Amino acid sequence: MKRYLSLLLATVFVCSLLVSSAVAAKWTADMKEGKLELKSAGPLAFGPDGILFIADTKSASIVALATGDTKATGNASLKVEGINQKVAALLGTSADQILIEDLAINPISHHAYLAVSRGRGPDAVPVLVRVKTDGKLEVLALDKVKYSVATLPDAPADAMTGPANRQSNPRRESITDLAFVDGRVLIAGLANEEFASALRAVPFPFQNVENGTSVEMYHGAHGRFETRSPVRTFAAFKIGKEDHLLAAYTCTPLVQFPISQLKPGAKIMGKTIAELGNRNRPLDMIVYERDGKRYLLMANSSRGVMKITTENIANAESITAPVPDKKGLTYETIEGWTNVDQLERFDAKNAVVIRRTEGGAMNLETVPLP
Amino acid sequence: MPDDVKEQRIKEAGNSRFLIWLITLCFFVSLFPQLVHSQTEKNTSLAIRWIPNPEDDRKVLVEVSGFSGVTLRHLERKMLSPAQWQQILAVYAGETNLAMLGTYRIVKDALQFLPQFPLEPGIQYRAVLRTLPGQAQDKPAPTTSSFQLPTRNTTPTTFVRQIYPSSDTVPENLLKFYLHFSAPMRRGNIYEFIHLRDSDGKNIELPFLEIDEELWDTNMTRLTLFIDPGRIKRGVLPLEEIGPSLEAGKSYSLVISREWKDSVGNPLKTEFQKSFRVVEADRTPPDPAHWQFTLPSGGTLAPLRINFTEPMDHALSQRVFTVFTEARQRIEGTVTLESQERVWVFTPTQAWRSGKYDLVIQTTLEDLAGNNIGKPFDVDIFEGIDRYLRTPTVRLPFDIR
């Protein structure tokens, strides 16, 4: 009997392995293997199975990179003091030549990933750095990796400059945030010539992105002036049974959109559920749960880190008229969380932040969620 | 002096500076074995040299010679990991104790370290050679050798070439500025170098849309600076307490601080100020029906000129127009803008032939207030979406005789 039981258990184990590898293969089956050449590395976001999405603004594309980092480490914290100085040392340069563009946490291993620019001029080299939970830094070797690329739908065609001069076309589209939600990569962007901010949803694994699968939408609930502002940061959030996108804008309305309505060509009316105050721009936003309640945590340029209650979000009033300062969902400013440049969720109980210190050093560390 | 001549001279000056820098570097590197030798005389058998990489002479590599053939073959066989190599030879940038990334290889009678990234001028690099594990005959005490590329010329040469719109009056609902620099600039925290001041010299608070990614072109010689859409005065809704960035009837200066560094790390040559007066808001979309054409004669290279009667967006005006023949063949040529972006001037590369032509314009063309052809900037938000996605065009036929 015991023998049968162990045989059965072994079979179940092998089957579960096969199923999990089949699930993993679903995401990477269409990827190619080879040298990944990034021209730039901007916002980052993790998808399933250790897949890292990288916005390469200079190539107007999103790269999905299978990092192979798919094992849990069990470590519950991260701390690296002077992360900018340490990255500079690895890359053989000085800290003032390093820009940390974005931070993402692999939800499986809890290793932190940084998009770094080595250099600050046109010849800057993009580098991806893994900060392991033991504090060690590694630069990702991209010579032989599995990846796929989604090229963003073309910029409006050049007229006089012509195809031969496309390289010199000064039009670029900047990407302000990136997230993987419900099988799609959501991309917020803004162009540097014609003024039109866009939010795109690209299904992953990437298919035929060029064929009009892009979505452009504007939110319009809040008077008129926000309608063309770019989304600065966003997070997925379930309201009732429906997945929503909460998007934060400069100066600082928080707007919700149902994700199911993000369809090619869709025109979606956003609902403004909070005005969080003037003279401010949001930097990063995460969602977490504590004592059965869900909160948003938002890092800002000039109003510290806000802990926003979401208890009444389902019944939140739509703000449709100008307000002098604040309205809608309320928040408290978290004391001690100062000079936060980057904010990411680490696990259910902790966030990871990168903070600037007075001497110019930047510290990366886990902090218990408030 | 015309701009293109100036530009050529600046380029030439840049090239010759680079040449001088390169010659200095080669001279310095050629001297270096002797310098290093004096630092490493304690271990007469081993020497660290910083030499140009034979595969890419813009890069420098570190070479340790003097090992016995047995040691080198032993190291070669061991297939060491990067961390193990660093126990033998590590290279550091500045005062740090974290070794630089690079690859190690054995060539003939030496060990070489090839930094993953090129060395930077102005940084002191150190190569530290440590004891070889289990190789008693080659046990050197830790030996250090330092190296620094010549520092670059620190004389400021970069300047603000132009700010668009170039007009000295702008509408109250102006949407953006383009800052053009004479050489590539440096990214990061740029907004602290850009100030909008009122006529009393007082800074306007947060007038611009500050984007972390910064809206540069590829060469990093042009920056787009959007007025924060939340700070553009509207006709209907009152603005919030912070007030609009620009108000009609007032004068302002856009000031670019000299402290802003170019890509080399030098500050700008001088501070730059653009002073302008603000007039009533412009909520009228550009209407091609009102544009005035000046047509060239057939058989000439004379330009086609279109007077918009108001200034247009500098960048878009150069990108959204195409001239076609009646047979839909595109006419190649160059575009310039005159009269403070009011006049579009197209000079063909080949002489005009008599016949019918079409000027095709993408309706995403913007005037200074962001009004598109057929659509003012701040009306119904959804009206323009299909237009943007499909980028429809307007066709203006004309005849060349």
Side-chain angles (χ1 to χ4, degrees), chain B residues 330-376:
Chain B
R330 185 174 154 152
I331 305 291
E332 301 294 333
T334 53
V335 173
T336 51
L337 295 166
E338 292 178 358
S339 304
Q340 299 174 326
E341 300 86 71
R342 283 182 184 84
V343 178
W344 183 85
V345 182
F346 174 71
T347 309
T349 46
Q350 291 184 342
W352 296 102
R353 290 185 187 174
S354 300
K356 290 182 183 301
Y357 290 84
D358 281 323
L359 177 69
V360 176
I361 311 138
Q362 293 169 25
T363 54
T364 47
L365 177 69
E366 291 176 4
D367 63 18
L368 300 189
N371 301 309
N372 299 130
I373 293 177
K375 186 180 77 69

Side-chain angles (χ1 to χ4, degrees), chain A residues 97 120 159 192 228 232, chain B residues 187 210 319 330 375:
Chain A
Q97 284 299 313
R120 294 168 58 177
N192 69 347
R228 291 190 168 206
R232 305 309 295 261
Chain B
R187 268 185 63 210
E210 299 188 0
R319 190 161 60 72
R330 185 174 154 152
K375 186 180 77 69

